[in-house]
């Protein structure tokens, strides 16, 4: 009788294992697989422009990044390799923990610095145009100045959505990125 009960229990366990194997029911998820899936989804959404959701996530992480001193002695524009290749183990773990691609994090940081500078250039150029146009008499030199300032505005490339996004949060960005 004991053998018969043990046989049924074994048969039941083997049956459950087979059912789980057939249906591929996953009782436990590998954290590395989950991280790879999250990062693949994020990488698929990357564009040249920075979007509001990405900016919000970046601005939440930047104070912590600075608090740990990760911004010290790590200047991205002077690197010969991608930033992810120059990170030490502490930074790598920090980026993995926060589900951020290190290369994208530094891209967003550098792009925001560029956009803030481009915004200043656009404002300065527009102020010069307004000043020249406010004069009663516009000569050839004034027209050349206006044309030069229009070229400066065009050279400061940014999309309209980025212009609005950066303009709305300019003070906060300047404070965090200084």
């Amino acid at each position: 009788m004991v053998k018969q009960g043990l046989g049924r229990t074994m048969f039941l366990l083997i049956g459950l294992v087979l059912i789980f194997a057939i249906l591929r029911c996953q009782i436990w998820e590998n954290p590395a697989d989950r991280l790879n899936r999250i990062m693949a989804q994020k990488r698929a959404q990357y564009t040249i422009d920075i979007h509001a959701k990405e900016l919000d996530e970046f601005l939440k992480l930047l104070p912590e990044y600075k608090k740990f001193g990760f911004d010290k002695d790590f200047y991205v524009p002077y690197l010969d390799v991608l930033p992810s290749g120059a990170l030490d183990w502490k930074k790598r773990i920090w980026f993995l923990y926060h589900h951020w691609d290190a290369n994208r994090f530094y891209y967003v940081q550098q792009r925001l610095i560029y956009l803030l500078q481009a915004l200043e250039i656009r404002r300065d150029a527009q102020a010069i145009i307004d000043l020249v146009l406010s004069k009663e008499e516009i000569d050839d030199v004034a027209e050349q100045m206006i044309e030069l300032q229009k070229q400066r505005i065009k050279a400061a490339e940014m999309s309209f959505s980025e212009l609005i996004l950066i303009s709305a949060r300019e003070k906060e960005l300047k404070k965090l990125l200084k």
Side-chain angles (χ1 to χ4, degrees):
M1 183 156 173
V2 173
K3 288 184 180 181
Q4 189 178 23
L6 183 62
R8 284 185 187 165
T9 306
M10 292 299 285
F11 184 71
L12 180 65
L13 286 175
I14 291 172
L16 286 174
V17 169
L18 287 174
I19 290 172
F20 280 130
I22 292 170
L23 297 177
R24 295 189 181 215
C25 294
Q26 196 170 6
I27 297 172
W28 178 74
E29 182 178 24
N30 184 353
D33 292 340
R34 182 173 180 270
L35 174 68
N36 290 335
R37 192 174 59 251
I38 290 170
M39 293 308 297
Q41 288 173 343
K42 282 187 160 189
R43 286 183 181 120
Q45 297 172 358
Y46 290 165
T47 61
I48 292 173
D49 295 345
I50 298 169
H51 301 288
K53 181 182 176 187
E54 187 174 39
L55 179 62
D56 290 339
E57 289 177 10
F58 177 82
L59 291 177
K60 286 179 186 174
L61 286 181
L62 191 60
E64 183 180 337
Y65 177 81
K66 286 185 169 190
K67 182 180 86 173
F68 286 122
F70 291 155
D71 58 333
K72 307 280 190 270
D73 302 327
F74 194 77
Y75 195 60
V76 175
Y78 293 132
L79 292 177
D80 293 334
V81 295
L82 288 173
S84 62
L87 295 176
D88 62 2
W89 66 272
K90 293 176 195 173
K91 290 178 189 157
R92 288 177 198 257
I93 291 173
W94 187 85
F95 283 115
L96 288 174
Y97 177 77
H98 290 289
H99 299 136
W100 262 85
D101 180 8
N103 296 328
R104 185 62 179 186
F105 182 87
Y106 291 113
Y107 171 79
V108 170
Q109 182 183 37
Q110 296 299 311
R111 181 79 177 156
L112 289 174
I113 291 168
Y114 165 78
L115 291 172
L116 288 170
Q117 291 171 348
L119 188 60
E120 286 295 320
I121 291 170
R122 291 176 76 116
R123 284 188 184 142
D124 291 345
Q126 189 60 49
I128 292 171
I129 290 172
D130 293 343
L131 181 66
V132 170
L133 290 176
S134 68
K135 296 190 177 192
E136 294 177 16
E137 197 176 308
I138 299 177
D139 57 356
D140 290 339
V141 175
E143 287 181 20
Q144 288 176 355
M145 179 61 82
I146 290 172
E147 196 58 39
L148 178 65
Q149 298 309 315
K150 287 181 181 178
Q151 289 175 5
R152 284 183 67 204
I153 290 173
K154 285 181 187 177
E157 291 183 37
M158 66 172 63
S159 68
F160 185 69
S161 63
E162 283 181 321
L163 177 64
I164 292 172
L165 189 64
I166 300 305
S167 297
R169 301 181 88 169
E170 184 177 4
K171 289 181 182 178
E172 179 184 8
L173 288 169
K174 282 183 177 180
K175 181 180 177 185
L176 284 172
L177 292 171
K178 65 176 179 176

